[in-house]
Amino acid sequence: DPVNVFAAASLKNALDAVSEVWKAEAGKETKNTYAASSALAKQIEQGAPADVFISADLDWMDYVAEKKLIKSDTRKTLLGNQLVLVAAKDSGLKLEIKEGADLAGALARGKLAVGDVKAVPAGKYAKAALEKLGLWASVEKSLAMSENVRAALALVARGEAKLGIVYATDAKAEKEVAVAGVFPEDSHPPIVYPVAVIVSSKNADAEAFVTYLSSPKAQEIFTAQGFTILK
Amino acid sequence: MTGLSEEDWTAILLSLKVASVATLASLPVGLALAYILARFRFPGRTLLDGLIHLPLVMPPVVTGYLLLLSFGRKGPIGAFLDECCGLVFSFRWTGAALAAAVMGLPLMVRAIRLTLESQDRRLEQAAGTLGARPLFVFATVTLPLALPGILAGSILSFAKALGEFGATITFVSNIPGETQTIPAAIYTFTQVPGGDANALRLTAVSIVISLFALIASEILARRLNRQVASFS
Amino acid sequence: MTGLSEEDWTAILLSLKVASVATLASLPVGLALAYILARFRFPGRTLLDGLIHLPLVMPPVVTGYLLLLSFGRKGPIGAFLDECCGLVFSFRWTGAALAAAVMGLPLMVRAIRLTLESQDRRLEQAAGTLGARPLFVFATVTLPLALPGILAGSILSFAKALGEFGATITFVSNIPGETQTIPAAIYTFTQVPGGDANALRLTAVSIVISLFALIASEILARRLNRQVASFS
Amino acid sequence: MIEIDVGLARANFTLAVKFTAGEGVTALFGESGAGKSTVLHLVAGLLKPDRGRIVVNGTVFTDMAAGIFLPAHRRRIGYVFQDALLFPHLSVRQNLTYGRWFTKAEPNGITLDQVTELLGIGALLDRRPTTLSGGERQRVAIGRALLASPHVLLMDEPLAALDIDRKREIIPYIQRLRDELKLPILYVSHAIEEVARLADRVILMAQGQVKSDGPPQQVLSPKAGPGDDRFARASILTTTKPSYDPDYQLTQVSHPAGAITLAGRLLPQDGPIRVVIRATDVTIALSKPRELSIRTALRGKVSAISEPLGAVVMVEVELEGGEILAAAVTRKAVDELGLGEGDQVHCLVKSVSIDDRLMAIKD
Amino acid sequence: MIEIDVGLARANFTLAVKFTAGEGVTALFGESGAGKSTVLHLVAGLLKPDRGRIVVNGTVFTDMAAGIFLPAHRRRIGYVFQDALLFPHLSVRQNLTYGRWFTKAEPNGITLDQVTELLGIGALLDRRPTTLSGGERQRVAIGRALLASPHVLLMDEPLAALDIDRKREIIPYIQRLRDELKLPILYVSHAIEEVARLADRVILMAQGQVKSDGPPQQVLSPKAGPGDDRFARASILTTTKPSYDPDYQLTQVSHPAGAITLAGRLLPQDGPIRVVIRATDVTIALSKPRELSIRTALRGKVSAISEPLGAVVMVEVELEGGEILAAAVTRKAVDELGLGEGDQVHCLVKSVSIDDRLMAIKD
Ligand SMILES: Nc1ncnc2c1ncn2[C@@H]1O[C@H](COP(=O)(O)OP(=O)(O)OP(=O)(O)O)[C@@H](O)[C@H]1O
Ligand SMILES: Nc1ncnc2c1ncn2[C@@H]1O[C@H](COP(=O)(O)OP(=O)(O)OP(=O)(O)O)[C@@H](O)[C@H]1O
Ligand code: MOO
Ligand SMILES: [Mg+2]
Ligand SMILES: [Mg+2]
């Protein structure tokens, strides 16, 4: 049987590639199901036939862990990501992001597109970082929150929003935007993608796949997509 | 040639199956509800009406979540149906069909109800004087006269089923080959860089399917239209 | 008491405004489209019909994205409307209303079209013989006779507007007080572990609003129903 | 046998009728809005009265006090509605045979072929009702009711939209239904001649009430006539022993007051033959005239002359044998002839003015 | 003035009619399905012919060759439809006044009060059409058409659902419209008497074709009559100089062949007065009779006797002055009286059998 992987939607490109390599190497298959981490977590709670869960943030992995739905010994933190400030490609805008940076000035009364600061992981990180850097108050009223980080990116790419805060992985692939600045690592909680095997899984290959996710081959694919590998 | 991957085709065929089954399965239910709402006054009627509209009023994600809670493997209805009839919805294509049917139901019911309410009820009464029992009247007069509404309701429901996403992905997730319908596949594409072209291709497929369904319904409707009077 | 925060109330009032404006604004458009589809045969008719159904067929997110492309500040229509009439949709509640209107349009058009197609057209012709110009006939005969459909279409559109989420958040984002409607607020709650209770509270508000709308429409409809013949 | 005693209150209209109608045709007669159609709806079970009973052929259709209300489909009625009410989604043929689903082909039943032949709708069978002319629609509605093998017929102005030739073809058939199948028939019509010829009993209605009720001789006779309309008055004479003269194609029937000549040949029928004579068709002569084209002269003596109010007075003549014949005569003629009660007179009736085709007479 | 020359092909029916109808009432007469309503639809602009022209009062309504098709709302017609077609969402009052929106109150126009009075629908003004009886609906439909101040009236069996009293009240009004407003009126009816009294011209239709077309005298007269129906035959005499006898409430009009007595009083009108006499109402006498209640005896000589086929023959009498009067007489009477062409006869007509109320005579 293929391994049923429930993964945050933003991992699709990378994870599909890893699955392919794994299939070629180990002869085993996975079936990858992508959705918002929140939806996946609740579905696992309701008995979804998942073997492996990869969340886009800690909160939802903690949620399933608390309900004792994952094998805690298989949990690990797989990947990291960076938070960047993006602007339209032709704006030529560059901004060093630090305490006291003039983000509001750079916005010039335009909108700052982010993921939903309560709901979407990228949004939550963005809010944490802005607060940490003391910029929150100056831009709070300018936020345009989206259902997911890709939608936020689209707003910048389409010129609707002046600036956006997204993952480096997304910024990298969108030709219409340029990275205007990178948020310091310590300005927000570590951006992590935790992974674990589900308690109810009876698939013997599940743990093997999780292990494979940390193999050099897999890591190469992840880094190529812009993810960082956490030690 | 088409630029569609095998996975795309799987999603397309699944969507067709889900939308067809959802429409057909919700037809009798929609018809019964429309009939009850159109023809009877009883306490709780407005509540029933409100209930039917719920999938429209609630965000699809909430509908999906409520479906998950009630029709999931651990939900009360889901567990019962599993036990009694071996009918499992959770994380199956049947669940996707259920979600689509529920989301399309208010549209189906309204359309049918509209034609039922605009019918000249004296025709039913005339059928009664000829000896037809109520059920026969329903089958031979009420139902045929409501066909335009049934057709319109089916088309709306089918189209909605093709596009339904929020409730489906929340209820039965997005499992390739099982619950990954076209909209779920599109969603996945939009969540990663560079997926837009794929998303648009699939969207186009949806549109073509719905156009075919529309054309078929128009042809049928034109046949029915004869019953409306006009001098010319 | 109600357990509703100030932000919740903002979302509720906004949702009411958005749903009302969306319904009212789409009425004339829906009416015109329904009339054209019901009464005229022309090349491209099926295409127009298909176009109207698109918001149903496409995942809402895609609809929202297409709205962004066309009605956004940089979109061709959006730019034009901004320039000519100062009408801006992006990140405004007007955009949320536009999204809701577009999503509800297929429902509105179908309902109106159904009643238009089941009308006895000889009544319009009778009005013509009495000297009424087509526009007057439309206003005094066609329109009043289509009221049940207009009412049904409005209710469907209003309910859909209350529940619309995917297209709205994609098009105009989720800005508290400006574009954060009830569903957007609910969505936010559902994405936070433990937010379910808040989400349900807001959902209940939506349901209550829609029930009120339904009751109002039922009362109106009962008045109109007199025109259907029956012996008893 | 139809027994009705019901009450019904509507916003603008109150109905309270009570009558019994035996076998045969009972005509409901009366002005527009009098409540004729409402009575039929009540008998058909399409309307519930506020109070009262309706019993037909011994079956209790409605009894509000006992909480009985037999649904329409169990009443075995054939209803020809005032506005046809054909099923728009069915072909003419399907409309006609709709009632057939619920009745085993009854031995006495009329067949589809007979109905299409009688009503002249053979060419319409595959058409849709919306493409029919007004009269065609009405004929299909009649056929649909007949083919349901009803035990009671309710007919609401069934012939109003038809041309005279077609009317004259259909009326004898309704008479045959009445006579052969012994169906009770409730028949609404505004045409006195139709009513006079067909009805065994006439119920005259006005404003939801029965104003007059009895055999047509009585209800349509001078004293009880509806309104002051001389054209609405007719007398009905009971005659016997028809004999046919094939040379002149005339039928003679016997009446105590003299022979009555009718044009054409009577269909074979048992029992007495009713001849309806309109008051305007009767001429009064003091002596039996000669050199006149009139064939029928009935002896009698003047029994009453109505109040001399307008231009026309009604002269009632008690014919030999006791039946009353009414004649409409100008007041001037009464004066000039010096007519008074008790005078012996001859009542002249043109045979040609008696509409034989309405009487089941065959040319 | 209405000029029609059109063709129309339908799946089961082909229409090809050509006729001209002057001022006054033109009756369309003919069996069910003959195409009468179709002609009205064409004149109203509710139907496009395949070919042909329709010109009314000098205005080209339709000219297919020239690509002219005036829309219905610019034709200024008043159309009384065969099935009423009231607006179900409007009250009776709103239905009645619907046409008023498009016409400035015209000097000659009839008022709402007059219409409700004439049609007896005053009590219905606030009702909905679905709650009306069949006859009430039809009356409202007539009122609605009249109130639109039309320049042409199209009436499709407008009186079919009405009782006789109501009919007799409405007909004189239609005559007044004809005479005072000089409206051309196309009038479909199955009732010969209605047609005979009202029509200036009768178009007899069958199977989509005009079978006969001319003044009623001609179309409804013996030779050209519809079918073999003696009841459909009537003669029309042109009379002058009405004089009224207030004592007896009788009107006498002059005719070269003798005076004709009518019951009641003529409404004041100019010009000659048309008297319609049904063939079945004429009795032939060889000598002028006495002691008879008949008031009218017209002199003339037999000009033709129809083929002696059935029981009844038509005797045509050329009255003094040249007009023809048809009498329906049994063949036996012809033989017994020894009637032959050229014989001098007296034609007796009962005044009471002439339906004065259909003639704009007032009691
Ligand atoms: N919409 C239609 N489509 C096809 N045939 C039609 C349509 N309307 C009428 N006809 C046919 O055309 C013929 C003439 O119809 P029309 O209504 O003119 O008859 P009519 O003379 O008015 O008859 P009636 O006295 O019964 O009303 C009929 O045979 C009828 O069946
Ligand atoms: N649905 C209704 N609601 C209220 N009043 C009604 C309704 N139907 C009929 N009436 C009224 O009841 C009265 C009797 O109607 P009905 O139809 O029995 O008359 P009718 O004798 O058949 O007249 P007609 O000869 O004109 O058909 C009328 O005054 C009519 O206005
Ligand atoms: O009701 Mo939705 O926003 O089409 O999934
Ligand atoms: Mg009636
Ligand atoms: Mg007709």
Side-chain angles (χ1 to χ4, degrees):
Chain A
D1 283 7
V3 176
N4 275 313
V5 181
F6 273 35
S10 51
L11 289 169
K12 178 179 164 60
N13 282 0
L15 203 58
D16 279 352
V18 172
S19 289
E20 217 154 284
V21 183
W22 190 53
K23 184 181 172 188
E25 278 189 8
K28 306 255 169 70
E29 285 191 55
T30 65
K31 191 189 252 183
N32 301 338
T33 296
Y34 302 103
S37 307
S38 57
L40 295 172
K42 286 175 185 168
Q43 286 164 351
I44 288 167
E45 186 185 359
Q46 292 298 321
D51 297 311
V52 173
F53 176 37
I54 311 178
S55 168
D57 69 356
L58 282 171
D59 292 351
W60 287 107
M61 187 57 88
D62 290 345
Y63 179 82
V64 289
E66 252 168 51
K67 311 223 156 171
K68 311 234 180 310
L69 296 167
I70 55 166
K71 298 178 178 167
S72 47
D73 56 329
T74 61
R75 172 174 174 168
K76 60 180 156 192
T77 307
L78 185 61
L79 300 169
N81 212 337
Q82 276 184 308
L83 210 55
V84 296
L85 182 72
V86 291
K89 194 179 64 182
D90 48 13
S91 73
L93 190 91
K94 289 285 174 216
L95 186 72
E96 194 193 341
I97 299 174
K98 55 177 192 204
E99 267 178 67
D102 187 15
L103 188 53
L107 271 175
R109 312 184 79 198
K111 291 284 178 191
L112 178 59
V114 293
D116 192 304
V117 297
K118 285 189 197 136
V120 180
K124 294 192 239 180
Y125 296 129
K127 181 179 182 192
L130 291 170
E131 279 176 339
K132 181 87 180 288
L133 298 172
L135 303 174
W136 175 251
S138 66
V139 297
E140 187 186 358
K141 293 271 179 280
S142 310
L143 294 183
M145 295 185 286
S146 292
E147 179 201 5
N148 57 64
V149 68
R150 297 278 314 161
L153 185 65
L155 289 175
V156 180
R158 294 292 314 157
E160 296 297 330
K162 184 107 192 203
L163 299 171
I165 302 176
V166 300
Y167 293 131
T169 47
D170 296 308
K172 189 170 176 178
E174 175 59 69
K175 287 184 229 43
E176 295 298 318
V177 303
V179 172
V182 180
F183 283 82
E185 289 254 344
D186 60 357
S187 64
H188 52 81
I191 301 173
V192 291
Y193 290 75
V195 59
V197 176
I198 305 302
V199 162
S200 61
S201 167
K202 296 194 176 63
N203 195 319
D205 300 328
E207 290 194 33
F209 182 68
V210 171
T211 311
Y212 187 78
L213 288 173
S214 306
S215 69
K217 267 263 173 59
Q219 294 196 343
E220 194 179 309
I221 291 169
F222 285 127
T223 21
Q225 297 279 340
F227 292 104
T228 56
I229 306 298
L230 297 175
K231 295 288 152 321
Chain B
M1 263 289 285
T2 57
L4 293 169
S5 70
E6 200 183 322
E7 205 175 322
D8 291 344
W9 277 112
T10 311
I12 292 167
L13 292 178
L14 180 69
S15 247
L16 271 176
K17 177 162 82 172
V18 164
S20 310
V21 169
T23 305
L24 289 177
S26 60
L27 241 179
V29 181
L31 195 58
L33 288 170
Y35 190 77
I36 291 170
L37 288 172
R39 292 292 153 82
F40 303 105
R41 299 275 168 273
F42 52 92
R45 185 171 165 280
T46 308
L47 219 72
L48 176 64
D49 199 12
L51 206 68
I52 292 168
H53 281 82
L54 277 192
L56 217 50
V57 175
M58 300 191 302
V61 177
V62 174
T63 307
Y65 190 55
L66 293 180
L67 282 175
L68 183 63
L69 290 183
S70 42
F71 284 89
R73 207 183 293 269
K74 301 190 178 158
I77 309 177
F80 170 77
L81 284 177
D82 188 1
E83 207 140 297
C84 90
C85 345
L87 195 60
V88 178
F89 291 112
S90 65
F91 308 109
R92 297 273 172 84
W93 72 268
T94 45
L98 176 65
V102 166
M103 294 298 286
L105 196 64
L107 317 183
M108 169 92 77
V109 170
R110 255 310 166 167
I112 300 178
R113 205 179 133 187
L114 260 180
T115 43
L116 285 178
E117 282 175 342
S118 70
Q119 269 179 26
D120 188 342
R121 299 210 43 202
R122 296 178 307 162
L123 291 172
E124 292 177 357
Q125 298 179 302
T129 66
L130 290 165
R133 267 163 298 120
L135 208 69
F136 195 91
V137 174
F138 180 79
T140 59
V141 177
T142 319
L143 204 59
L145 288 176
L147 272 185
I150 292 174
L151 207 59
S154 300
I155 271 293
L156 288 177
S157 180
F158 186 82
K160 177 75 203 163
L162 278 183
E164 214 309 298
F165 158 67
T168 309
I169 200 170
T170 311
F171 178 25
V172 290
S173 199
N174 183 6
I175 305 170
E178 187 71 39
T179 63
Q180 185 173 69
T181 54
I182 298 179
I186 292 174
Y187 166 77
T188 315
F189 282 128
T190 62
Q191 290 311 294
V192 289
D196 287 2
N198 286 323
L200 281 180
R201 226 190 325 267
L202 272 182
T203 303
V205 171
S206 263
I207 293 172
V208 168
I209 294 175
S210 72
L211 272 183
F212 269 109
L214 268 180
I215 292 172
S217 83
E218 287 292 328
I219 292 172
L220 262 172
R222 214 162 298 170
R223 295 222 180 138
L224 296 176
N225 236 1
R226 285 187 296 179
Q227 73 195 42
V228 176
S230 139
F231 287 120
S232 33
Chain C
M1 263 288 283
T2 57
L4 292 171
S5 69
E6 198 183 320
E7 205 176 322
D8 290 345
W9 277 112
T10 313
I12 291 168
L13 292 179
L14 180 68
S15 246
L16 271 176
K17 177 162 81 172
V18 165
S20 309
V21 169
T23 305
L24 289 177
S26 61
L27 243 179
V29 181
L31 196 57
L33 288 170
Y35 189 77
I36 291 170
L37 288 174
R39 292 293 153 80
F40 303 105
R41 299 274 167 276
F42 51 92
R45 184 171 166 278
T46 307
L47 219 71
L48 176 64
D49 196 14
L51 206 68
I52 293 168
H53 280 81
L54 277 192
L56 217 50
V57 175
M58 298 193 301
V61 175
V62 175
T63 307
Y65 188 64
L66 293 180
L67 282 175
L68 185 66
L69 291 186
S70 42
F71 286 90
R73 206 182 294 271
K74 300 251 168 93
I77 310 177
F80 170 78
L81 285 177
D82 187 3
E83 206 137 299
C84 89
C85 345
L87 195 60
V88 177
F89 293 112
S90 63
F91 303 123
R92 297 278 170 83
W93 71 269
T94 45
L98 176 64
V102 166
M103 294 298 286
L105 196 64
L107 317 183
M108 170 91 79
V109 170
R110 256 307 167 168
I112 300 176
R113 205 180 133 186
L114 260 181
T115 43
L116 285 178
E117 282 176 340
S118 69
Q119 270 180 25
D120 188 341
R121 300 210 43 201
R122 297 177 307 162
L123 290 171
E124 292 176 356
Q125 298 179 302
T129 66
L130 290 164
R133 265 163 300 118
L135 209 68
F136 195 93
V137 174
F138 180 80
T140 59
V141 177
T142 317
L143 206 59
L145 288 176
L147 272 186
I150 292 173
L151 208 58
S154 302
I155 271 293
L156 287 176
S157 180
F158 185 82
K160 176 74 204 163
L162 278 183
E164 212 312 295
F165 160 65
T168 309
I169 199 167
T170 308
F171 178 24
V172 289
S173 187
N174 180 3
I175 303 168
E178 187 68 42
T179 64
Q180 185 174 69
T181 55
I182 299 180
I186 292 175
Y187 171 77
T188 307
F189 284 128
T190 60
Q191 298 305 299
V192 188
D196 289 0
N198 286 324
L200 281 181
R201 223 187 331 265
L202 271 183
T203 303
V205 171
S206 264
I207 294 173
V208 168
I209 294 175
S210 72
L211 272 183
F212 270 109
L214 267 180
I215 292 171
S217 84
E218 286 292 326
I219 292 171
L220 262 172
R222 213 161 300 172
R223 295 218 180 140
L224 296 177
N225 235 2
R226 283 187 296 180
Q227 73 196 41
V228 176
S230 137
F231 288 122
S232 31
Chain D
M1 174 81 161
I2 305 177
E3 294 165 66
I4 302 183
D5 180 2
V6 290
L8 172 76
R10 276 185 158 157
N12 302 279
F13 176 72
T14 310
L15 184 89
V17 294
K18 174 174 173 157
F19 64 83
T20 316
E23 236 171 43
V25 176
T26 302
L28 291 179
F29 199 69
E31 60 183 16
S32 170
K36 305 179 295 295
S37 301
T38 306
V39 169
L40 297 201
H41 294 343
L42 286 167
V43 175
L46 302 177
L47 207 56
K48 244 186 200 154
D50 296 335
R51 59 147 201 85
R53 272 167 65 86
I54 299 174
V55 183
V56 176
N57 295 335
T59 310
V60 179
F61 276 12
T62 304
D63 187 339
M64 296 312 285
I68 296 173
F69 187 77
L70 201 65
H73 67 276
R74 291 179 48 207
R75 297 188 176 202
R76 296 299 305 268
I77 46 188
Y79 197 145
V80 181
F81 293 91
Q82 198 166 2
D83 45 355
L85 287 184
L86 300 182
F87 303 122
H89 59 296
L90 301 181
S91 70
V92 166
R93 185 196 308 276
Q94 290 168 323
N95 266 280
L96 286 170
T97 55
Y98 191 87
R100 279 289 152 111
W101 291 95
F102 321 107
T103 51
K104 305 257 163 266
E106 310 211 345
N108 278 333
I110 187 173
T111 67
L112 180 62
D113 285 347
Q114 286 172 325
V115 160
T116 52
E117 166 74 22
L118 168 75
L119 299 163
I121 49 179
L124 309 177
L125 288 177
D126 296 318
R127 301 262 294 273
R128 289 281 173 141
T130 44
T131 71
L132 298 183
S133 82
E136 288 165 349
R137 264 200 296 275
Q138 199 57 27
R139 282 181 276 161
V140 175
I142 295 173
R144 185 176 68 171
L146 295 182
L147 280 167
S149 306
H151 294 177
V152 202
L153 257 184
L154 308 175
M155 309 186 91
D156 204 342
E157 305 189 30
L159 309 182
L162 298 189
D163 51 296
I164 297 162
D165 288 337
R166 191 57 72 183
K167 251 182 216 172
R168 293 222 173 90
E169 271 169 55
I170 296 176
I171 284 184
Y173 180 77
I174 296 176
Q175 285 179 305
R176 255 174 53 203
L177 283 180
R178 172 191 76 184
D179 298 337
E180 291 173 15
L181 303 184
K182 312 260 182 245
L183 289 187
I185 301 178
L186 275 185
Y187 193 94
V188 174
S189 171
H190 290 306
I192 336 161
E193 289 183 40
E194 247 172 75
V195 169
R197 308 283 167 170
L198 272 175
D200 296 287
R201 189 176 199 83
V202 177
I203 314 279
L204 180 69
M205 292 187 63
Q207 289 161 318
Q209 309 253 322
V210 173
K211 282 294 169 226
S212 161
D213 165 7
Q217 288 90 330
Q218 183 185 316
V219 176
L220 300 178
S221 79
K223 278 183 198 134
D228 280 324
D229 186 359
R230 67 177 184 273
F231 292 95
R233 312 249 168 118
S235 309
I236 291 149
L237 303 184
T238 312
T239 68
T240 49
K241 294 201 284 282
S243 70
Y244 181 62
D245 170 355
D247 273 356
Y248 284 118
Q249 301 181 21
L250 298 176
T251 299
Q252 244 192 16
V253 292
S254 297
H255 187 273
I260 299 175
T261 303
L262 305 169
R265 178 176 203 159
L266 273 182
L267 286 184
Q269 54 181 288
D270 300 329
I273 295 144
R274 226 161 49 204
V275 177
V276 181
I277 297 170
R278 286 182 302 190
T280 53
D281 284 340
V282 180
T283 299
I284 290 196
L286 295 183
S287 57
K288 180 155 185 183
R290 281 162 311 131
E291 301 203 317
L292 219 56
S293 63
I294 287 182
R295 301 290 87 203
T296 301
L298 300 171
R299 297 174 302 273
K301 66 171 199 284
V302 175
S303 58
I305 298 181
S306 70
E307 288 284 294
L309 280 175
V312 178
V313 295
M314 281 292 153
V315 176
E316 279 181 46
V317 177
E318 187 183 330
L319 297 180
E320 288 175 16
E323 286 187 310
I324 301 279
L325 179 65
V329 174
T330 57
R331 187 148 48 83
K332 190 171 183 192
V334 171
D335 285 359
E336 288 184 0
L337 294 177
L339 274 190
E341 282 186 28
D343 288 358
Q344 284 291 339
V345 294
H346 294 265
C347 299
L348 312 184
V349 184
K350 278 199 76 167
S351 3
V352 293
S353 65
I354 299 175
D355 192 345
D356 49 281
R357 277 193 264 174
L358 290 177
M359 297 186 63
I361 288 181
K362 205 159 177 67
D363 289 292
Chain E
M1 174 78 160
I2 304 176
E3 294 164 64
I4 301 182
D5 180 3
V6 289
L8 173 75
R10 274 183 159 159
N12 302 280
F13 177 72
T14 309
L15 184 90
V17 294
K18 173 172 175 160
F19 64 84
T20 316
E23 237 172 44
V25 176
T26 302
L28 290 179
F29 199 70
E31 59 183 15
S32 169
K36 305 179 295 294
S37 301
T38 306
V39 168
L40 296 201
H41 295 340
L42 287 167
V43 175
L46 302 177
L47 207 55
K48 245 187 198 152
D50 296 334
R51 57 147 203 86
R53 274 167 64 89
I54 299 174
V55 183
V56 175
N57 295 336
T59 311
V60 179
F61 275 13
T62 304
D63 187 338
M64 297 312 284
I68 297 175
F69 185 78
L70 203 65
H73 67 274
R74 291 182 47 208
R75 296 188 178 201
R76 295 298 304 269
I77 46 188
Y79 197 146
V80 181
F81 292 91
Q82 196 166 3
D83 45 356
L85 286 183
L86 300 181
F87 304 122
H89 59 295
L90 300 180
S91 70
V92 167
R93 185 195 308 276
Q94 290 168 322
N95 265 281
L96 286 171
T97 55
Y98 191 88
R100 279 289 152 108
W101 292 95
F102 320 106
T103 51
K104 304 258 164 266
E106 309 214 345
N108 278 331
I110 186 171
T111 68
L112 179 61
D113 286 346
Q114 287 171 325
V115 160
T116 54
E117 165 75 22
L118 168 75
L119 299 164
I121 49 179
L124 308 177
L125 286 178
D126 295 317
R127 302 262 295 275
R128 289 282 172 141
T130 45
T131 72
L132 299 183
S133 81
E136 287 165 350
R137 262 200 298 275
Q138 199 56 27
R139 281 180 277 160
V140 175
I142 295 172
R144 184 177 67 173
L146 294 182
L147 280 166
S149 307
H151 293 177
V152 202
L153 258 183
L154 308 176
M155 309 187 90
D156 203 341
E157 305 189 31
L159 309 180
L162 299 188
D163 51 298
I164 297 162
D165 287 338
R166 191 58 71 185
K167 250 182 218 176
R168 292 224 173 86
E169 273 170 54
I170 297 176
I171 285 185
Y173 180 76
I174 296 176
Q175 286 180 305
R176 256 176 51 206
L177 284 180
R178 174 192 72 185
D179 298 338
E180 292 175 15
L181 302 185
K182 312 258 181 246
L183 288 188
I185 301 177
L186 273 186
Y187 193 92
V188 174
S189 171
H190 289 306
I192 333 162
E193 291 184 38
E194 251 172 73
V195 170
R197 309 281 167 173
L198 274 172
D200 296 288
R201 189 178 199 80
V202 176
I203 313 278
L204 179 69
M205 290 187 65
Q207 291 162 316
Q209 308 256 322
V210 173
K211 283 294 170 225
S212 162
D213 164 9
Q217 288 91 326
Q218 183 185 317
V219 176
L220 300 177
S221 80
K223 278 184 199 133
D228 279 324
D229 187 0
R230 66 177 184 272
F231 294 95
R233 314 249 168 120
S235 310
I236 293 151
L237 303 184
T238 312
T239 68
T240 49
K241 296 199 286 276
S243 70
Y244 181 63
D245 171 354
D247 274 354
Y248 285 117
Q249 300 181 21
L250 296 176
T251 300
Q252 243 190 19
V253 291
S254 298
H255 188 271
I260 298 174
T261 304
L262 306 169
R265 177 178 203 156
L266 273 181
L267 288 183
Q269 53 182 286
D270 300 330
I273 295 143
R274 220 162 50 201
V275 177
V276 179
I277 298 169
R278 285 183 302 189
T280 55
D281 284 338
V282 181
T283 298
I284 291 198
L286 294 183
S287 56
K288 179 153 187 184
R290 281 160 313 129
E291 304 202 314
L292 221 55
S293 63
I294 288 183
R295 302 288 88 203
T296 301
L298 301 171
R299 298 172 303 275
K301 67 171 198 288
V302 175
S303 58
I305 299 181
S306 71
E307 288 284 295
L309 279 175
V312 179
V313 294
M314 282 291 154
V315 176
E316 279 181 46
V317 177
E318 187 183 328
L319 298 178
E320 289 176 15
E323 284 188 311
I324 299 283
L325 179 65
V329 173
T330 58
R331 188 148 46 84
K332 194 174 180 188
V334 171
D335 284 359
E336 288 184 0
L337 295 176
L339 274 188
E341 281 186 28
D343 289 358
Q344 285 289 340
V345 293
H346 294 263
C347 299
L348 311 184
V349 184
K350 279 199 76 166
S351 2
V352 292
S353 65
I354 299 174
D355 192 346
D356 48 282
R357 276 193 265 173
L358 293 175
M359 296 187 62
I361 289 180
K362 201 159 179 69
D363 288 293

